[in-house]
C-alpha cells in the first residue's frame, strides 16, 4: 500500500502571497488531518477532514483553510502569508484512529 | 483538558544501552496512545499503537507500556543503535466523543545515541 504523499515537498513564498498544499491519504483512509510544526511551538493541530467535511479544527486564524475531495485527497490553503507561517506542514491519514504521516511540506516565507 | 508531558526533553546515551522514554498524561479517559519517531526535517513514523484496553505492545527492539490509572506510558528501546537517534513523540487520543477523538501531543524527547 502506498503511504501518505504530500506535494510539494519544499516551497518558498513571500509575505502576502497565498499557498496551497496537497495531501493524498493512504488508499481507503477517509480521515485526513493537518498539522503545523515549528521549532518553537512543536506540533500544532490545524484541522481534520472526514468524508469531505471538517470534523475538527485547531486554534488557527481564518487565513488557514482546507478542504477534502470525494477521493479523500485534501488541500490546505494559507492566504496572506506571514513570516511566522514558515514551518513544516504535515498531513496524516487515519483509519481506526491510528495516524500515518506524510513526509511534510517545508514552507519558507521570506 | 488533556495534557501530555514527555520527560526528559533530550537524552544522550552510548550505543548498546537499554533506555526508557517517558510519557505522562493528565486524563485517563483515553482511546489509545501512539508513539512516533521523527528524523530531522522529516515526517513522523508510527512506532507503536496501544489501545486503551492493552497494557503493552512490542515491535522488534521496542516495547511500549501503558498504565492508564497512573497516566503513564513508557517506550523501552533495547540495545540502542546510532540509527535510533531521532525525536520520539507520544500522542494520546481522547475518548471523549465531544473531543472528536483528537490527538494531544507531547513535546517529544530528542534522543542521541553515541557510537
Amino acid at each position: 500500500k502506498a503511504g501518505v504523499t504530500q506535494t510539494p515537498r519544499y516551497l518558498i513564498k513571500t509575505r502576502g502571497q497565498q499557498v496551497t498544499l496537497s495531501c493524498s491519504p493512504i488508499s481507503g483512509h477517509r480521515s485526513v488531518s493537518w498539522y503545523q510544526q515549528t521549532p518553537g511551538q512543536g506540533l500544532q493541530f490545524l484541522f481534520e477532514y472526514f468524508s469531505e467535511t471538517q470534523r475538527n479544527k485547531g486554534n488557527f486564524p481564518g487565513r488557514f483553510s482546507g478542504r477534502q475531495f470525494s477521493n479523500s485527497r485534501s488541500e490546505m490553503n494559507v492566504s496572506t502569508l506571514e513570516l511566522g507561517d514558515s514551518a513544516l506542514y504535515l498531513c496524516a491519514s487515519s483509519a481506526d484512529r491510528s495516524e500515518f504521516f506524510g513526509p511534510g511540506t517545508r514552507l519558507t516565507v521570506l | 483538558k488533556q495534557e501530555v508531558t514527555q520527560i526528559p526533553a533530550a537524552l544522550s546515551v552510548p550505543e548498546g544501552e537499554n533506555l526508557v522514554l517517558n510519557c505522562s498524561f493528565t486524563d485517563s479517559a483515553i482511546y489509545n496512545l501512539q508513539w512516533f519517531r521523527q528524523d530531522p526535517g522529516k515526517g513522523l513514523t508510527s512506532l507503536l499503537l496501544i489501545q486503551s484496553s492493552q497494557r503493552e505492545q512490542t515491535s522488534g527492539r521496542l516495547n511500549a507500556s501503558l498504565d492508564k490509572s497512573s497516566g503513564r506510558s513508557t517506550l523501552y528501546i533495547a540495545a540502542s543503535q546510532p540509527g535510533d537517534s531521532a525525536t520520539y513523540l507520544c500522542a494520546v487520543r481522547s475518548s471523549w466523543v465531544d473531543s472528536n477523538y483528537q490527538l494531544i501531543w507531547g513535546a517529544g524527547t530528542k534522543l542521541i545515541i553515541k557510537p
Side-chain angles (χ1 to χ4, degrees):
Chain A
K1 237 184 201 181
V4 179
T5 58
Q6 291 187 246
T7 56
R9 293 292 311 281
Y10 302 91
L11 206 48
I12 299 175
K13 292 285 189 179
T14 56
R15 279 181 298 175
Q17 288 187 309
Q18 76 164 22
V19 66
T20 299
L21 311 182
S22 180
C23 172
S24 293
I26 292 171
S27 176
H29 287 193
R30 294 162 63 190
S31 169
V32 174
S33 298
W34 288 90
Y35 296 85
Q36 181 195 67
Q37 188 178 36
T38 59
Q41 299 293 321
L43 260 172
Q44 293 186 281
F45 173 74
L46 282 156
F47 28 66
E48 179 195 8
Y49 286 86
F50 181 85
S51 294
E52 301 179 65
T53 301
Q54 188 179 87
R55 182 160 73 174
N56 220 340
K57 189 177 188 304
N59 296 321
F60 277 80
R63 300 186 296 108
F64 292 81
S65 63
R67 59 178 175 168
Q68 186 179 33
F69 301 96
S70 58
N71 62 358
S72 294
R73 189 177 70 85
S74 177
E75 289 181 347
M76 69 162 279
N77 185 77
V78 188
S79 62
T80 318
L81 284 166
E82 301 176 359
L83 294 178
D85 296 334
S86 294
L88 181 65
Y89 289 87
L90 293 164
C91 162
S93 74
S94 69
D96 298 327
R97 302 196 175 96
S98 176
E99 308 263 312
F100 297 88
F101 281 80
T105 294
R106 170 74 62 186
L107 172 64
T108 302
V109 182
L110 303 176
Chain B
K1 181 188 167 191
Q2 180 73 272
E3 292 181 2
V4 180
T5 304
Q6 291 186 249
I7 294 173
L11 182 63
S12 179
V13 301
E15 180 179 4
E17 281 200 6
N18 303 324
L19 58 98
V20 174
L21 306 181
N22 297 295
C23 172
S24 61
F25 47 95
T26 54
D27 186 348
S28 62
I30 67 170
Y31 188 87
N32 61 32
L33 182 147
Q34 209 164 348
W35 282 93
F36 294 88
R37 166 191 172 134
Q38 186 175 31
D39 294 286
K42 303 288 179 62
L44 278 69
T45 301
S46 179
L47 297 173
L48 290 164
L49 170 71
I50 311 178
Q51 301 293 350
S52 64
S53 59
Q54 297 174 320
R55 297 282 296 187
E56 65 177 346
Q57 282 287 330
T58 298
S59 175
R61 295 183 294 108
L62 306 179
N63 175 278
S65 69
L66 175 64
D67 183 345
K68 280 200 312 180
S69 61
S70 65
R72 295 182 63 182
S73 176
T74 60
L75 178 66
Y76 174 82
I77 302 177
S80 58
Q81 304 170 358
D84 295 330
S85 298
T87 296
Y88 290 80
L89 292 135
C90 162
V92 168
R93 193 178 297 277
S94 172
S95 63
W96 294 110
V97 174
D98 60 0
S99 77
N100 278 321
Y101 306 103
Q102 185 177 333
L103 272 178
I104 308 298
W105 293 85
T109 294
K110 183 174 181 179
L111 176 64
I112 297 173
I113 307 297
K114 297 174 288 187

